[in-house]
Amino acid sequence: MIVAASNRIHVRVLLAADVVASVEILPRVRPPLARIFTGKPASSLLNVVPRLFALCAAAQQTALLSAIETARDEVITLATKQHRIALIVTERIVDLVRGLFVGHLTPDVASVAAIGSAISELSALVRSEQPAWGPPQREATARIVAAMGALGVPNDGSALRSGSPLARRVAALSEVGLKSAPTGHSFLSAADDLNITNRLLGDDSTFCCCPDLEGHVPETGPWARQMTRDRLLLRPFGAAERLTARIVEIVRLCAWLEAGAQIDAAEHGIIERYKLGPGRAAAAVECARGRLYHAVELDAQGRISRFEFLAPTEWNFHRRGPLVRNLQGAVLTARRRCDEVRALIASLDPCVGFTLNFREVRDA
């Protein structure tokens, strides 16, 4: 069973003379994991999780496992921690590379061979069950870097090669893509974990499907990570900036793997665990799409009495979230409006399923 089949959002853009008057988002139907998990022995669910999610399966499994271990007061070894971080990083590269051609490079026939090579290598890494990061993994990562080079991505972090497929796509998005003002924009990070994890098992049953941080709805994902990590100056931004952030992250993560996947050089906050009380705990994992949270409460027999999760989708496609803020007040001409909005949605999450329609409104 893959519950992600119903993981779709519905977006309606209301226009007044080509200007976005408002945006309505009908949220996706969240998988009923709380109902599925409640009353089950915690250990019996760990192998089930990857079959429940088509995307970020390793991150979902790691988040649940980390939450359960913390609720049980279990301590993991450094070797186990390193293996899990390497697995999360590898899965992130897989999803980030996939996101480069979903809505971006698909029409570019010349890119197909390079993309196919990269995806093949990445998939082999994700399937690998070796507990340590060694020469085979480093060699596969090097081949991934070479395949990315064919798309115009230097491995030294410098600018995209002029005229390359990705350089052309970034330039196209910069020229015609929607640009939003930075006013009021914020980014989700590990600094918000304590606030969020304490609310996951709280009394507000709406928090996991409609979250906020003191009224604010921050963005999460590669661009949010880059802005938080590098403390870049926030300027007018859009799909081009988010696509560039994905490319930068792929290069950075590949470099970490090639260097040996050392814990002391790992990304801050990539996997975090939080004890919330007797038999209660939560975990946060940075997956490709953004920051993911799982929280559990165990009964005296070790069965799950409560389970909650909060995915990146709930932030980025919140009714007051980044998509709405980016569209509100934008001018969308009839000729390009569909392409522009689709590119914006893909920049927030290239793998989310969605429907999109436009409606003209007139003043009474």
Side-chain angles (χ1 to χ4, degrees), residues 2 4 7 23 43 71-72 76 88 114 204 213 247 264 288 323 333:
I2 297 179
N7 185 23
V23 181
S43 300
R72 293 171 169 169
I76 64 170
I88 295 302
D204 184 358
L213 291 174
I247 297 167
D264 56 359
L323 176 63
T333 61

Side-chain angles (χ1 to χ4, degrees), residues 66-74 275 277-281 296-298:
S66 298
I68 291 172
E69 289 172 339
T70 306
R72 293 171 169 169
D73 297 317
E74 295 177 3
K275 183 73 172 182
R280 294 161 57 94
V296 298
E297 182 174 337
L298 307 181

Side-chain angles (χ1 to χ4, degrees), residues 262-346:
Q262 297 302 310
I263 291 181
D264 56 359
E267 178 182 301
H268 171 69
I270 189 168
I271 302 175
E272 296 290 351
R273 300 150 54 112
Y274 300 94
K275 183 73 172 182
L276 304 178
R280 294 161 57 94
V285 175
E286 279 286 354
C287 62
R289 305 163 73 200
R291 200 150 182 83
L292 168 72
Y293 296 89
H294 280 210
V296 298
E297 182 174 337
L298 307 181
D299 64 18
Q301 287 72 43
R303 295 171 302 197
I304 291 182
S305 59
R306 187 173 176 188
F307 170 80
E308 300 291 349
F309 77 103
L310 177 55
T313 305
E314 272 59 70
W315 298 102
N316 289 336
F317 299 100
H318 190 286
R319 61 172 179 260
R320 292 184 286 106
L323 176 63
V324 174
R325 290 197 299 267
N326 278 237
L327 285 174
Q328 195 74 40
V331 177
L332 299 176
T333 61
R335 187 172 65 88
R336 293 198 53 86
R337 64 179 54 157
C338 189
D339 289 342
E340 290 178 338
V341 176
R342 286 182 176 276
L344 178 58
I345 292 173

Side-chain angles (χ1 to χ4, degrees), residues 347-358:
S347 75
L348 289 164
D349 187 342
C351 297
V352 70
F354 66 93
T355 61
L356 173 65
N357 61 74
F358 299 88

Side-chain angles (χ1 to χ4, degrees), residues 47-71:
N47 292 329
V48 175
V49 170
R51 297 198 297 270
L52 295 176
F53 293 93
L55 300 173
C56 304
Q60 298 281 359
Q61 187 176 41
T62 299
L64 179 59
L65 177 59
S66 298
I68 291 172
E69 289 172 339
T70 306

Side-chain angles (χ1 to χ4, degrees), residues 55-284:
L55 300 173
C56 304
Q60 298 281 359
Q61 187 176 41
T62 299
L64 179 59
L65 177 59
S66 298
I68 291 172
E69 289 172 339
T70 306
R72 293 171 169 169
D73 297 317
E74 295 177 3
V75 178
I76 64 170
T77 66
L78 285 178
T80 298
K81 183 176 181 180
Q82 181 190 39
H83 175 61
R84 290 180 185 173
I85 293 176
L87 181 62
I88 295 302
V89 167
T90 304
E91 183 178 68
R92 261 170 60 178
I93 296 173
V94 171
D95 290 338
L96 289 168
V97 171
R98 184 184 295 116
L100 292 184
F101 67 91
V102 175
H104 291 300
L105 294 175
T106 303
D108 198 308
V109 177
S111 304
V112 172
I115 291 169
S117 174
I119 290 294
S120 177
E121 296 287 353
L122 290 165
S123 298
L125 289 177
V126 171
R127 292 193 300 268
S128 173
E129 297 182 357
Q130 296 185 39
W133 198 259
Q137 290 87 347
R138 283 196 291 271
E139 291 169 6
T141 305
R143 290 192 290 272
I144 293 164
V145 172
M148 293 299 297
L151 298 177
V153 182
N155 62 4
D156 59 0
S158 56
L160 295 172
R161 188 176 69 251
S162 178
S164 65
L166 283 173
R168 292 197 302 270
R169 180 58 176 166
V170 171
L173 290 174
S174 297
E175 182 180 354
V176 302
L178 297 170
K179 291 285 185 179
S180 299
T183 305
H185 212 83
S186 58
F187 306 103
L188 191 67
S189 73
D192 302 305
D193 285 354
L194 285 177
N195 185 331
I196 292 170
T197 54
N198 282 317
R199 295 175 67 185
L200 283 173
L201 297 178
D203 297 329
D204 184 358
S205 60
T206 68
F207 178 71
C208 291
C209 59
C210 191
D212 70 272
L213 291 174
E214 298 179 352
H216 299 288
V217 183
E219 180 170 341
T220 186
W223 187 57
R225 288 192 286 262
Q226 183 185 40
M227 297 299 292
T228 301
R229 180 185 65 251
D230 299 338
R231 300 185 181 278
L232 300 177
L233 183 64
L234 190 57
R235 294 172 175 161
F237 58 90
E241 287 72 24
R242 292 191 182 92
L243 176 57
T244 301
R246 288 176 177 274
I247 297 167
V248 169
E249 182 159 299
I250 291 169
V251 173
R252 186 176 59 81
L253 294 179
C254 284
W256 181 77
L257 289 180
E258 286 187 296
Q262 297 302 310
I263 291 181
D264 56 359
E267 178 182 301
H268 171 69
I270 189 168
I271 302 175
E272 296 290 351
R273 300 150 54 112
Y274 300 94
K275 183 73 172 182
L276 304 178
R280 294 161 57 94

